[in-house]
Amino acid sequence: VIRCRAAVAWAVGKPLSVEEVEVAPPKAGEVRIKIVATGICRTDDHVLEGCFPKVVFPVIPGHEGAGIVESVGEGVTSVKPGDKVIPLCLPQCGECSFCLNQESNYCVKSHVSEPQNLLPDKTSRFTCKGKQIHHFLWVSTFAEYTVIPEYTVAKIDAAAPLDKVCLLGCGFPTGYGAAINTAKVKPGSTCAVFGVGGVGLSVVMGCKAAGASRIIAVDINKDKFAKAKELGATDCISPHDFKKPIQEVLTEMTGHGVDYSFEVIGHVDTLTAALASCNMNTGVCVMVGVPASGSVISVDPMLLLSGRTWKGTLLGGWKMRDCIPKLVSSYLEKKFNSDLLITHTLPIAKVNEGFELLRAGKSIRSVLLF
Ligand code: COD
Ligand code: ZN
């Protein structure tokens, strides 16, 4: 058993508290990882707010980390102590029908199918002050040491800087892949990205890499526009500056609507606005954000009848164990610069400050270091 620090969420709506926790050794098929760095993603904030009823408190959140394998359980063959790894919040068991389908990146072991509050054997490896603490998405990267199933670990290049590539655990691949894999943005096309936080800016980078000729960033926080332009946005607009609905503004700006629209906020109203913003026939709208649990969307069916495509994306469509190591190699080859998303680096003791920066709209990505 290792005693180490972790940011524990004891109850909904309460700040995290950095505690000493005990982390049990990995059982068969599990890996214990020393987390070196972890990003703060809006999804972690949604957890603290209690937006996900399936998450059980007390819990150690965090899902955008990178670290080094400390020890492995019986039967683990794909990683060994000392390997640099990224814990994956979307598993790839390699055996289910989705994993066997080349077109799919879903896995039946994902949290969408089964809760991941405890490890697959339905026990926790974390305790604090005599109480069992729950895992989050199996990864719980706000703990200095975490235990996760082997099929949810990606081994990465030993040269990778962990304080930078932690973003490749969630935010960057989610947005970048939404453009490249899910929408399959074509060269010369027009794109609109609703919400340019860390994930939305990664969509902007993906659209640019795919050769889009016009990328319109839509956000109510104009402080985000400078970074959006730096990363490839050609136009930046705030819905607050117009009397008419933003879908009408985008349709006028582009003639018939954009070729691709992305919703990266997680609201039903912006989701329907994004759908109506792409052109009526060949337009593709990708849902990246997740509206509050229980939300229902009502849309005019004519929006779809004319030919539009409305689709979702999980972690940007990447088959995670296969693709995240390749994305890390592309990062090392400087094919993209996800470092530009990192605005703050803080010690784990300042985790709540990191969340305050996010809530105030002042950060894109804060990276916490142990
Ligand atoms: N109109 C325009 N922009 C808006 C509006 C609005 N009505 N409301 C908010 N925004 C902007 C904010 O100003 C901000 O710039 C941006 O939207 C949101 O960015 P962040 O930095 O708060 O959030 P991200 O980029 O870290 O995460 C966004 C997600 C949509 C991914 C997240 O909120 C979410 O829904 N997560 C669940 C989806 C999921 O599972 N993703 C993969 C694992 S996290
Ligand atoms: Zn995330």
Side-chain angles (χ1 to χ4, degrees):
V1 174
I2 291 177
R3 298 178 76 85
C4 64
R5 287 165 301 159
V8 179
W10 289 101
V12 170
K14 293 267 168 8
L16 287 156
S17 74
V18 179
E19 309 270 7
E20 188 176 75
V21 298
E22 295 86 39
V23 185
K27 293 190 184 175
E30 297 174 357
V31 180
R32 188 161 59 183
I33 298 164
K34 178 175 169 44
I35 298 291
V36 172
T38 178
I40 297 180
C41 173
R42 178 66 74 172
T43 302
D44 297 308
D45 192 38
H46 290 335
V47 169
L48 302 182
E49 287 172 348
C51 300
F52 303 120
K54 282 189 190 166
V55 173
V56 183
F57 287 74
V59 60
I60 298 176
H63 63 283
E64 197 174 79
I68 298 167
V69 174
E70 178 273 334
S71 61
V72 300
E74 198 191 315
V76 170
T77 53
S78 60
V79 289
K80 58 178 189 315
D83 283 348
K84 284 190 181 173
V85 292
I86 290 184
L88 305 172
C89 47
L90 182 64
Q92 187 184 341
C93 74
E95 290 167 0
C96 71
S97 61
F98 290 103
C99 280
L100 293 172
N101 176 355
Q102 270 315 309
E103 305 281 298
S104 149
N105 80 322
Y106 187 73
C107 171
V108 293
K109 295 199 158 46
S110 95
H111 63 281
V112 182
S113 304
E114 61 171 90
Q116 294 179 336
N117 303 306
L118 295 168
L119 290 185
D121 76 343
K122 307 288 176 223
T123 62
S124 168
R125 301 291 161 270
F126 297 123
T127 50
C128 179
K129 297 175 177 162
K131 285 207 180 76
Q132 171 184 282
I133 310 295
H134 293 88
H135 294 248
F136 172 58
L137 299 179
W138 282 342
V139 293
S140 292
T141 59
F142 288 175
E144 195 172 2
Y145 286 85
T146 189
V147 178
I148 69 180
E150 181 182 13
Y151 47 73
T152 194
V153 182
K155 180 179 163 174
I156 59 168
D157 194 310
L162 298 175
D163 58 337
K164 302 289 191 290
V165 299
C166 55
L167 265 51
L168 274 59
C170 168
F172 180 77
T174 298
Y176 197 74
I180 304 253
N181 301 325
T182 310
K184 297 188 169 55
V185 168
K186 289 188 190 140
S189 59
T190 53
C191 303
V193 183
F194 286 68
V196 280
V199 183
L201 289 170
S202 304
V203 175
V204 169
M205 290 168 87
C207 294
K208 184 170 184 201
S213 60
R214 199 162 181 200
I215 304 168
I216 307 169
V218 181
D219 203 298
I220 48 174
N221 181 352
K222 290 184 181 176
D223 292 344
K224 307 275 170 131
F225 291 169
K227 183 72 91 177
K229 287 217 161 137
E230 183 189 346
L231 294 177
T234 54
D235 310 70
C236 295
I237 56 174
S238 166
H240 289 165
D241 287 345
F242 301 91
K243 286 212 176 71
K244 59 179 94 162
I246 201 71
Q247 55 269 38
E248 285 178 27
V249 175
L250 285 162
T251 303
E252 279 169 19
M253 283 172 78
T254 52
H256 295 284
V258 293
D259 297 310
Y260 306 96
S261 58
F262 301 85
E263 202 278 357
V264 206
I265 303 164
H267 291 167
V268 291
D269 52 345
T270 41
L271 198 45
T272 41
L275 175 66
S277 303
C278 69
N279 86 63
M280 65 191 302
N281 184 215
T282 57
V284 176
C285 175
V286 179
M287 164 180 167
V288 185
V290 179
S293 161
S295 305
V296 175
I297 302 177
S298 98
V299 290
D300 177 354
M302 288 308 287
L303 285 172
L304 292 170
L305 182 82
S306 60
R308 286 182 177 88
T309 303
W310 205 6
K311 60 203 296 198
T313 185
L314 268 183
L315 271 300
W318 308 99
K319 264 193 189 307
M320 296 293 273
R321 287 194 90 195
D322 296 345
C323 297
I324 297 304
K326 290 181 190 155
L327 267 184
V328 169
S329 302
S330 299
Y331 166 87
L332 292 171
E333 290 160 15
K334 302 201 187 311
K335 296 205 171 131
F336 56 80
N337 187 1
S338 47
D339 297 356
L340 295 172
L341 302 170
I342 303 173
T343 50
H344 299 78
T345 302
L346 302 166
I348 185 71
K350 294 195 172 169
V351 58
N352 288 314
E353 206 173 291
F355 277 93
E356 287 310 322
L357 288 164
L358 178 71
R359 289 174 197 136
K362 291 190 175 139
S363 61
I364 299 296
R365 273 297 189 266
S366 293
V367 171
L368 302 167
L369 301 176
F370 279 100

